[in-house]
Amino acid sequence: SFIRDAVLYDSVSYARGLNYIARRLAESLSVDFEAAIPYLQNYGLGAFEAKKTERVKKIVAEALTEWASLLEKAFEHLASKELLPGTALIAGPGAILSEFREAVAGDAFSQWTVFGRPFAVEVLAVDRLADRFTHIPSVFSDAELTNLRIDLFYSSFQNI
C-alpha cells in the first residue's frame, strides 16, 4: 500500500507471501500445511538446530525469489505515478522472517525510492496498535490483518 499523509493512494496485492512459503515448506518436508506454519515460526525465532535451520532456510530462499519478483512488479506499478517514500512498514506474521525484511531493504528496490536509497524497513507488531482498536474487538482476528503487508509511508508513523 502507498500511503501519504494518512491517505491510501494505491494498493497492490498478490498471493505469494507467507502462505506460499508455508505450502512450499509443507511439500518439501512432506507435512500438511498446518504443520508447516509452526516450522516457519520456529525458524523465524531461531529455535531450530543448525541442520534443520539450513534445510528450512533453503526452502524459504527459493520461495522468496518468486515473492521478490512479484514485489518488484508491485513497486514498479506503485512508482509509475511518482517515486516511493523511503520508509517501508512490514506487518503480519510474515514479518518474523528476516528474509522478508532483508529483501525489502535490499538495493534491488532503491531505483523506485525518492532518494534512490534502499527502503528503511520497520516491523509493525500488532500489539503496538491494540489499544487503538478497542472499539472493534474482531479487528485482530480478521484474515486480512494476518497477511504479510508492506506499507510505504511518506508521513511519519513514529507515534504508532
Side-chain angles (χ1 to χ4, degrees), residues 13-24:
S13 296
Y14 54 92
R16 291 284 193 256
L18 185 65
N19 286 342
Y20 172 69
I21 291 175
R23 286 191 303 275
R24 296 280 301 269

Side-chain angles (χ1 to χ4, degrees), residues 49-154:
E49 67 274 1
K51 185 176 179 183
K52 195 176 281 187
T53 296
E54 285 307 311
R55 184 172 182 197
V56 174
K57 183 178 185 123
K58 182 180 179 205
I59 296 164
V60 168
E62 290 170 358
L64 204 73
T65 299
E66 184 172 347
W67 176 83
S69 70
L70 293 170
L71 181 63
E72 181 177 8
K73 290 177 184 172
F75 283 161
E76 186 174 25
H77 166 77
L78 292 172
S80 66
K81 298 171 184 107
E82 65 180 295
L83 291 174
L84 302 175
T87 302
L89 182 65
I90 298 181
I96 195 172
L97 298 181
S98 63
E99 288 88 347
F100 281 122
R101 298 187 308 272
E102 291 164 4
V104 174
D107 290 333
F109 304 125
S110 61
Q111 64 184 316
W112 294 298
T113 66
V114 69
F115 295 112
R117 293 189 296 248
F119 288 105
V121 175
E122 292 199 32
V123 175
L124 177 61
V126 173
D127 59 346
R128 287 176 64 187
L129 295 175
D131 64 329
R132 296 175 189 247
F133 291 96
T134 55
H135 61 292
I136 311 172
S138 66
V139 74
F140 293 116
S141 61
D142 188 318
E144 176 68 21
L145 292 177
T146 64
N147 294 330
L148 177 71
R149 296 178 49 88
I150 300 172
D151 296 316
L152 307 172
F153 285 87
Y154 265 111

Side-chain angles (χ1 to χ4, degrees), residues 22-41:
R23 286 191 303 275
R24 296 280 301 269
L25 185 63
E27 180 183 305
S28 297
L29 298 177
S30 299
V31 298
D32 61 16
F33 175 77
E34 289 77 22
I37 296 296
Y39 268 91
L40 283 174
Q41 291 170 332

